[in-house]
Amino acid sequence: MNFDTELDASGLNCPLPILRTKKAMNEMSSGQVMKVMATDPGAVKDFEAFCKQTGSALLEQAQESDRFVFFIRKQ
């Protein structure tokens, strides 16, 4: 999937992956896509809730070995 920016939140525990994502998305334009990588298993539910709260679209989520990958389009 094509994306405009990437954030590696590997090794960070809740709520840091969400906080770093929110900060990075503030620098993005509406419609841009961010790829986020995280290792915290709680990130799956956290990013679903984050997207519902912010109106951003969770385009795809996957697990690659010990890492979770999310593609989020900013509203």
Side-chain angles (χ1 to χ4, degrees):
M1 178 175 290
N2 294 329
F3 55 92
D4 300 290
T5 189
E6 183 175 21
L7 175 68
D8 188 354
S10 299
L12 301 176
N13 292 321
C14 182
L16 290 176
I18 293 293
L19 294 175
R20 299 249 173 113
T21 298
K22 183 177 181 185
K23 183 177 180 181
M25 288 189 92
N26 286 337
E27 305 297 319
M28 295 170 57
S29 299
S30 181
Q32 288 188 307
V33 175
M34 174 183 283
K35 176 183 179 182
V36 182
M37 295 166 290
T39 51
D40 181 3
V44 174
K45 288 185 179 182
D46 290 345
F47 277 102
E48 290 172 357
F50 172 77
C51 289
K52 284 181 184 177
Q53 288 177 346
T54 63
S56 296
L58 182 57
L59 302 175
E60 186 178 320
Q61 65 182 27
Q63 185 172 358
E64 298 174 358
S65 64
D66 64 338
R67 208 186 289 208
F68 301 94
V69 180
F70 307 91
F71 290 91
I72 302 168
R73 180 185 301 124
K74 183 176 180 177
Q75 179 186 23

Coordinates of all heavy atoms in Angstrom, one line a residue:
M1 N 0.8 -1.2 0.0 CA 0.0 0.0 0.0 C 0.9 1.2 0.0 O 1.9 1.3 0.7 CB -0.9 0.0 1.2 CG -1.8 1.2 1.3 SD -3.0 1.2 2.7 CE -4.1 0.0 2.1
N2 N 0.5 2.2 -0.7 CA 1.2 3.5 -0.8 C 0.9 4.3 0.5 O -0.2 4.3 1.0 CB 0.8 4.3 -2.0 CG 1.3 3.6 -3.3 OD1 2.3 2.9 -3.3 ND2 0.5 3.8 -4.4
F3 N 1.9 5.0 1.0 CA 1.7 5.9 2.1 C 2.6 7.1 2.0 O 3.6 7.1 1.3 CB 2.0 5.1 3.4 CG 3.4 4.4 3.5 CD1 4.4 5.1 4.1 CD2 3.6 3.2 3.0 CE1 5.7 4.5 4.1 CE2 4.8 2.6 3.1 CZ 5.9 3.2 3.6
D4 N 2.3 8.1 2.7 CA 3.0 9.4 2.7 C 4.0 9.5 3.8 O 5.0 10.2 3.6 CB 2.0 10.6 2.8 CG 0.9 10.5 1.7 OD1 1.3 10.8 0.5 OD2 -0.2 10.2 1.9
T5 N 3.8 8.9 4.9 CA 4.7 9.0 6.0 C 4.7 7.7 6.8 O 3.7 7.0 6.7 CB 4.5 10.2 6.9 OG1 5.5 10.4 7.8 CG2 3.1 10.1 7.6
E6 N 5.8 7.5 7.5 CA 5.9 6.2 8.3 C 6.3 6.6 9.7 O 7.2 7.5 9.9 CB 7.0 5.4 7.6 CG 7.2 4.0 8.2 CD 8.2 3.2 7.4 OE1 9.0 3.8 6.6 OE2 8.1 2.0 7.5
L7 N 5.8 5.8 10.7 CA 6.1 6.0 12.1 C 6.4 4.6 12.6 O 5.6 3.7 12.6 CB 5.0 6.6 12.8 CG 5.2 6.7 14.4 CD1 6.3 7.7 14.7 CD2 3.9 7.2 15.0
D8 N 7.6 4.5 13.2 CA 8.0 3.2 13.9 C 7.9 3.4 15.4 O 8.7 4.1 16.0 CB 9.4 2.8 13.5 CG 9.8 1.4 14.0 OD1 9.0 0.8 14.7 OD2 10.9 1.0 13.7
A9 N 6.8 2.8 15.9 CA 6.6 2.9 17.4 C 6.9 1.6 18.0 O 6.4 1.3 19.1 CB 5.1 3.3 17.6
S10 N 7.8 0.8 17.4 CA 8.2 -0.5 18.0 C 8.9 -0.3 19.3 O 9.6 0.6 19.5 CB 9.1 -1.2 17.0 OG 8.5 -1.5 15.8
G11 N 8.5 -1.2 20.3 CA 9.2 -1.1 21.6 C 8.5 -0.2 22.5 O 8.8 -0.1 23.7
L12 N 7.5 0.6 22.1 CA 6.8 1.5 22.9 C 5.5 0.8 23.4 O 4.8 0.1 22.7 CB 6.4 2.8 22.2 CG 7.6 3.6 21.6 CD1 7.1 4.8 20.8 CD2 8.5 4.0 22.7
N13 N 5.1 1.1 24.6 CA 3.9 0.6 25.2 C 2.8 1.6 25.3 O 3.1 2.8 25.2 CB 4.1 0.0 26.6 CG 5.0 -1.3 26.6 OD1 4.9 -2.1 25.7 ND2 5.9 -1.4 27.5
C14 N 1.6 1.2 25.4 CA 0.4 2.1 25.5 C 0.6 3.1 26.6 O 1.2 2.7 27.6 CB -0.8 1.2 25.8 SG -2.3 2.1 25.9
P15 N 0.4 4.3 26.4 CA -0.3 4.9 25.2 C 0.6 5.6 24.2 O 0.2 6.3 23.3 CB -1.2 6.0 25.9 CG -0.3 6.5 27.0 CD 0.4 5.3 27.5
L16 N 1.9 5.3 24.3 CA 2.9 6.0 23.5 C 2.7 5.9 22.0 O 2.8 6.8 21.2 CB 4.3 5.7 23.9 CG 4.8 6.3 25.2 CD1 6.1 5.8 25.6 CD2 4.7 7.8 25.2
P17 N 2.4 4.6 21.4 CA 2.2 4.6 20.0 C 1.1 5.5 19.5 O 1.2 6.1 18.5 CB 1.8 3.1 19.8 CG 2.5 2.4 20.9 CD 2.4 3.3 22.1
I18 N 0.0 5.6 20.3 CA -1.1 6.5 19.9 C -0.7 7.9 20.0 O -1.0 8.7 19.1 CB -2.4 6.2 20.7 CG1 -2.9 4.8 20.4 CG2 -3.4 7.3 20.5 CD1 -3.5 4.6 19.1
L19 N -0.1 8.3 21.0 CA 0.4 9.7 21.2 C 1.3 10.1 20.1 O 1.2 11.2 19.6 CB 1.0 9.9 22.6 CG 0.0 9.7 23.8 CD1 0.8 9.8 25.1 CD2 -1.1 10.7 23.8
R20 N 2.3 9.3 19.8 CA 3.2 9.6 18.7 C 2.5 9.7 17.4 O 2.9 10.5 16.5 CB 4.4 8.6 18.7 CG 5.1 8.5 20.0 CD 6.5 9.1 19.8 NE 7.2 9.2 21.1 CZ 8.2 8.4 21.5 NH1 8.7 7.5 20.6 NH2 8.8 8.6 22.7
T21 N 1.6 8.8 17.1 CA 0.8 8.9 15.9 C 0.0 10.1 15.8 O 0.0 10.8 14.8 CB -0.2 7.6 15.8 OG1 0.6 6.4 15.8 CG2 -1.0 7.7 14.5
K22 N -0.7 10.5 16.9 CA -1.5 11.7 16.9 C -0.6 12.9 16.6 O -1.0 13.8 15.8 CB -2.2 11.9 18.2 CG -3.1 13.1 18.3 CD -3.8 13.2 19.6 CE -4.7 14.4 19.5 NZ -5.4 14.7 20.8
K23 N 0.6 13.0 17.2 CA 1.5 14.1 17.0 C 1.9 14.2 15.5 O 1.9 15.2 14.9 CB 2.7 14.0 17.9 CG 3.6 15.1 17.8 CD 4.8 15.0 18.8 CE 5.7 16.2 18.7 NZ 6.8 16.1 19.6
A24 N 2.3 13.0 15.0 CA 2.8 13.0 13.6 C 1.6 13.3 12.6 O 1.9 14.0 11.6 CB 3.3 11.6 13.3
M25 N 0.4 12.9 12.9 CA -0.7 13.2 12.0 C -1.1 14.7 12.0 O -1.6 15.2 11.0 CB -1.9 12.3 12.4 CG -1.7 10.9 12.0 SD -3.2 9.9 12.2 CE -3.9 10.1 10.6
N26 N -0.7 15.4 13.1 CA -1.0 16.8 13.1 C -0.2 17.5 12.0 O -0.6 18.6 11.6 CB -0.7 17.4 14.5 CG -1.7 17.0 15.5 OD1 -2.9 16.7 15.2 ND2 -1.3 17.1 16.8
E27 N 0.9 16.9 11.6 CA 1.8 17.5 10.6 C 1.3 17.1 9.2 O 1.8 17.6 8.2 CB 3.2 17.1 10.8 CG 3.8 17.4 12.2 CD 3.8 18.9 12.5 OE1 4.2 19.6 11.6 OE2 3.5 19.3 13.6
M28 N 0.3 16.3 9.1 CA -0.1 15.7 7.8 C -1.3 16.5 7.2 O -2.1 17.1 8.0 CB -0.5 14.3 7.9 CG 0.7 13.4 8.2 SD 0.2 11.7 8.6 CE -0.7 11.2 7.2
S29 N -1.5 16.4 5.9 CA -2.7 17.0 5.3 C -3.8 16.0 5.3 O -3.6 14.8 5.3 CB -2.4 17.5 3.9 OG -1.4 18.4 3.9
S30 N -5.1 16.5 5.2 CA -6.2 15.6 5.1 C -6.1 14.7 3.8 O -5.7 15.2 2.8 CB -7.5 16.4 5.0 OG -8.6 15.6 4.9
G31 N -6.4 13.4 4.0 CA -6.3 12.5 2.9 C -5.0 11.7 2.8 O -4.9 10.7 2.1
Q32 N -3.9 12.2 3.5 CA -2.6 11.5 3.4 C -2.7 10.2 4.3 O -3.5 10.1 5.2 CB -1.5 12.4 3.9 CG -1.2 13.5 3.0 CD 0.1 14.3 3.4 OE1 0.2 14.7 4.5 NE2 1.0 14.4 2.5
V33 N -1.8 9.3 4.0 CA -1.8 8.0 4.6 C -0.5 7.8 5.4 O 0.6 8.2 4.9 CB -2.0 6.9 3.6 CG1 -1.8 5.5 4.2 CG2 -3.3 7.0 2.9
M34 N -0.7 7.3 6.6 CA 0.5 7.0 7.5 C 0.6 5.5 7.7 O -0.4 4.9 8.0 CB 0.4 7.7 8.8 CG 1.5 7.4 9.8 SD 1.2 8.1 11.4 CE 1.8 9.8 11.0
K35 N 1.8 5.0 7.6 CA 2.1 3.6 8.0 C 2.7 3.7 9.4 O 3.6 4.4 9.7 CB 3.1 3.0 7.1 CG 3.5 1.6 7.4 CD 4.5 1.0 6.5 CE 5.0 -0.4 6.9 NZ 6.0 -0.9 6.0
V36 N 2.1 2.9 10.3 CA 2.5 2.9 11.7 C 2.9 1.4 12.0 O 2.1 0.5 11.7 CB 1.4 3.3 12.7 CG1 2.0 3.3 14.1 CG2 1.0 4.7 12.3
M37 N 4.1 1.2 12.6 CA 4.5 -0.1 13.1 C 4.6 -0.1 14.6 O 5.1 0.9 15.2 CB 5.8 -0.5 12.5 CG 5.7 -0.6 11.0 SD 7.4 -0.7 10.2 CE 7.9 1.0 10.4
A38 N 4.0 -1.1 15.3 CA 4.1 -1.2 16.7 C 4.2 -2.6 17.2 O 3.9 -3.6 16.4 CB 2.8 -0.6 17.3
T39 N 4.8 -2.8 18.4 CA 5.0 -4.2 18.9 C 4.0 -4.4 20.1 O 3.9 -5.6 20.5 CB 6.4 -4.4 19.3 OG1 6.8 -3.3 20.2 CG2 7.4 -4.4 18.2
D40 N 3.4 -3.4 20.6 CA 2.5 -3.6 21.7 C 1.2 -4.3 21.2 O 0.5 -3.7 20.4 CB 2.1 -2.2 22.3 CG 1.2 -2.3 23.5 OD1 0.9 -3.4 24.0 OD2 0.9 -1.2 24.1
P41 N 0.8 -5.5 21.7 CA -0.4 -6.1 21.3 C -1.7 -5.3 21.5 O -2.7 -5.4 20.8 CB -0.5 -7.4 22.1 CG 0.9 -7.6 22.6 CD 1.5 -6.3 22.7
G42 N -1.6 -4.4 22.5 CA -2.8 -3.6 22.8 C -3.0 -2.5 21.7 O -4.1 -1.9 21.6
A43 N -2.0 -2.4 20.8 CA -2.2 -1.4 19.8 C -3.3 -1.7 18.8 O -3.9 -0.7 18.2 CB -0.8 -1.2 19.0
V44 N -3.6 -2.9 18.6 CA -4.7 -3.3 17.7 C -6.0 -2.6 18.1 O -6.7 -1.9 17.3 CB -4.9 -4.8 17.6 CG1 -6.1 -5.2 16.8 CG2 -3.6 -5.5 17.1
K45 N -6.4 -2.8 19.4 CA -7.6 -2.2 19.8 C -7.5 -0.6 20.0 O -8.4 0.1 19.7 CB -8.1 -2.7 21.2 CG -8.6 -4.1 21.1 CD -9.1 -4.6 22.4 CE -9.7 -6.1 22.2 NZ -10.2 -6.6 23.5
D46 N -6.3 -0.2 20.4 CA -6.0 1.2 20.5 C -6.2 2.0 19.2 O -6.8 3.1 19.2 CB -4.6 1.5 21.1 CG -4.5 1.0 22.5 OD1 -5.5 0.8 23.2 OD2 -3.3 0.9 23.0
F47 N -5.7 1.4 18.1 CA -5.7 2.1 16.8 C -7.2 2.1 16.3 O -7.6 3.0 15.6 CB -4.7 1.6 15.8 CG -3.4 2.2 16.0 CD1 -2.4 1.5 16.7 CD2 -3.1 3.5 15.6 CE1 -1.1 2.1 16.9 CE2 -1.9 4.1 15.8 CZ -0.9 3.4 16.4
E48 N -7.9 1.0 16.5 CA -9.3 1.0 16.1 C -10.1 2.1 16.8 O -10.8 2.8 16.2 CB -9.9 -0.4 16.4 CG -9.4 -1.5 15.5 CD -9.8 -2.9 16.0 OE1 -10.5 -3.0 17.0 OE2 -9.5 -3.8 15.3
A49 N -9.9 2.2 18.1 CA -10.6 3.3 18.9 C -10.1 4.7 18.5 O -10.9 5.6 18.3 CB -10.3 3.1 20.4
F50 N -8.8 4.8 18.2 CA -8.2 6.1 17.8 C -8.9 6.6 16.5 O -9.3 7.7 16.4 CB -6.7 6.0 17.6 CG -6.1 7.1 17.0 CD1 -5.8 8.3 17.7 CD2 -5.7 7.1 15.7 CE1 -5.2 9.4 17.2 CE2 -5.0 8.2 15.1 CZ -4.8 9.4 15.9
C51 N -9.0 5.7 15.5 CA -9.6 6.0 14.3 C -11.1 6.4 14.4 O -11.5 7.3 13.8 CB -9.4 4.9 13.2 SG -7.7 4.8 12.7
K52 N -11.8 5.7 15.2 CA -13.2 6.0 15.5 C -13.4 7.4 16.1 O -14.2 8.2 15.7 CB -13.9 5.0 16.3 CG -14.2 3.7 15.6 CD -14.9 2.7 16.5 CE -15.1 1.4 15.8 NZ -15.7 0.4 16.7
Q53 N -12.5 7.7 17.0 CA -12.6 9.0 17.7 C -12.1 10.2 16.9 O -12.7 11.2 17.0 CB -11.7 9.0 19.0 CG -12.2 8.1 20.1 CD -11.3 8.0 21.3 OE1 -10.2 8.4 21.2 NE2 -11.8 7.5 22.4
T54 N -11.2 9.9 16.0 CA -10.6 11.0 15.2 C -11.3 11.2 13.8 O -11.1 12.2 13.1 CB -9.1 10.9 15.0 OG1 -8.9 9.7 14.2 CG2 -8.4 10.9 16.3
G55 N -12.0 10.1 13.4 CA -12.7 10.1 12.1 C -11.7 9.7 11.0 O -12.1 9.7 9.8
S56 N -10.5 9.3 11.4 CA -9.6 8.8 10.4 C -9.9 7.4 10.0 O -10.6 6.7 10.7 CB -8.1 8.9 11.0 OG -7.7 10.2 11.2
A57 N -9.5 7.0 8.8 CA -9.8 5.7 8.3 C -8.7 4.7 8.6 O -7.6 5.0 8.2 CB -10.2 5.7 6.8
L58 N -9.0 3.6 9.2 CA -8.0 2.5 9.4 C -8.2 1.7 8.1 O -9.1 0.8 8.0 CB -8.3 1.7 10.6 CG -7.4 0.5 10.9 CD1 -5.9 1.0 11.1 CD2 -7.8 -0.2 12.2
L59 N -7.3 1.9 7.1 CA -7.4 1.3 5.8 C -7.0 -0.2 5.9 O -7.6 -1.0 5.2 CB -6.4 2.0 4.8 CG -6.7 3.5 4.6 CD1 -5.7 4.1 3.7 CD2 -8.1 3.7 4.1
E60 N -6.0 -0.5 6.7 CA -5.5 -1.9 6.7 C -4.7 -2.1 8.0 O -4.1 -1.2 8.5 CB -4.6 -2.1 5.5 CG -4.1 -3.6 5.4 CD -3.2 -3.7 4.2 OE1 -3.5 -3.2 3.1 OE2 -2.2 -4.5 4.3
Q61 N -4.8 -3.3 8.6 CA -4.0 -3.7 9.7 C -3.5 -5.1 9.5 O -4.3 -5.9 9.0 CB -4.7 -3.5 11.0 CG -5.9 -4.4 11.3 CD -6.5 -4.1 12.6 OE1 -6.4 -3.0 13.1 NE2 -7.2 -5.1 13.2
A62 N -2.3 -5.4 9.9 CA -1.7 -6.7 9.6 C -0.7 -7.0 10.7 O -0.2 -6.1 11.4 CB -1.1 -6.8 8.3
Q63 N -0.3 -8.2 10.8 CA 0.7 -8.6 11.8 C 1.9 -9.3 11.0 O 1.6 -10.2 10.2 CB 0.2 -9.6 12.8 CG 1.3 -9.9 13.9 CD 0.7 -10.7 15.0 OE1 -0.4 -11.0 15.1 NE2 1.6 -11.1 16.0
E64 N 3.1 -8.7 11.1 CA 4.2 -9.2 10.5 C 5.2 -9.7 11.6 O 5.8 -8.9 12.2 CB 4.9 -8.2 9.6 CG 4.0 -7.7 8.5 CD 4.6 -6.5 7.7 OE1 5.7 -6.0 8.1 OE2 4.0 -6.0 6.8
S65 N 5.3 -11.0 11.8 CA 6.0 -11.6 12.9 C 5.6 -11.0 14.2 O 4.5 -11.1 14.7 CB 7.5 -11.6 12.6 OG 8.0 -10.3 12.6
D66 N 6.5 -10.3 14.9 CA 6.2 -9.7 16.2 C 5.8 -8.2 16.1 O 5.7 -7.5 17.1 CB 7.4 -9.8 17.1 CG 8.6 -9.0 16.6 OD1 8.7 -8.7 15.4 OD2 9.5 -8.6 17.4
R67 N 5.4 -7.8 14.9 CA 5.1 -6.4 14.7 C 3.7 -6.2 14.1 O 3.3 -7.0 13.2 CB 6.1 -5.8 13.7 CG 6.3 -4.3 13.9 CD 7.2 -3.7 12.9 NE 8.6 -4.1 13.0 CZ 9.6 -3.4 12.6 NH1 9.4 -2.3 12.0 NH2 10.8 -3.8 12.8
F68 N 3.0 -5.2 14.5 CA 1.7 -4.9 14.0 C 1.9 -3.7 13.1 O 2.6 -2.7 13.4 CB 0.7 -4.6 15.1 CG 0.5 -5.7 16.1 CD1 1.3 -5.8 17.3 CD2 -0.4 -6.7 15.8 CE1 1.1 -6.8 18.2 CE2 -0.5 -7.8 16.7 CZ 0.2 -7.8 17.9
V69 N 1.2 -3.7 11.9 CA 1.3 -2.7 10.9 C -0.1 -2.1 10.7 O -1.0 -2.9 10.4 CB 2.0 -3.2 9.6 CG1 2.1 -2.1 8.6 CG2 3.3 -3.8 9.9
F70 N -0.2 -0.8 10.7 CA -1.4 -0.1 10.5 C -1.3 0.9 9.4 O -0.2 1.6 9.3 CB -1.9 0.6 11.7 CG -2.0 -0.3 12.9 CD1 -0.9 -0.4 13.8 CD2 -3.1 -1.0 13.2 CE1 -0.9 -1.2 14.9 CE2 -3.2 -1.8 14.3 CZ -2.1 -1.9 15.2
F71 N -2.2 1.1 8.5 CA -2.3 2.1 7.5 C -3.5 3.0 7.8 O -4.6 2.5 7.8 CB -2.4 1.6 6.1 CG -1.1 0.9 5.6 CD1 -0.9 -0.5 5.9 CD2 -0.1 1.6 5.0 CE1 0.3 -1.1 5.5 CE2 1.1 1.0 4.6 CZ 1.3 -0.4 4.9
I72 N -3.3 4.2 8.1 CA -4.3 5.2 8.5 C -4.4 6.4 7.6 O -3.4 7.0 7.3 CB -4.1 5.6 10.0 CG1 -4.0 4.4 10.9 CG2 -5.1 6.6 10.4 CD1 -3.4 4.8 12.3
R73 N -5.6 6.7 7.1 CA -5.8 7.9 6.3 C -6.3 9.0 7.1 O -7.4 8.8 7.8 CB -6.7 7.6 5.1 CG -6.9 8.9 4.3 CD -7.9 8.8 3.1 NE -7.6 7.7 2.2 CZ -8.4 6.7 1.9 NH1 -9.6 6.6 2.5 NH2 -8.0 5.8 1.0
K74 N -5.7 10.1 7.2 CA -6.1 11.2 8.0 C -7.4 11.8 7.4 O -7.5 12.0 6.2 CB -5.0 12.3 8.0 CG -5.4 13.5 8.9 CD -4.3 14.5 9.1 CE -4.8 15.6 9.9 NZ -3.8 16.6 10.2
Q75 N -8.3 12.1 8.2 CA -9.6 12.7 7.8 C -9.4 14.1 7.2 O -8.6 14.9 7.7 CB -10.6 12.8 9.0 CG -11.9 13.4 8.6 CD -12.8 13.6 9.8 OE1 -12.3 13.7 10.9 NE2 -14.0 13.7 9.5

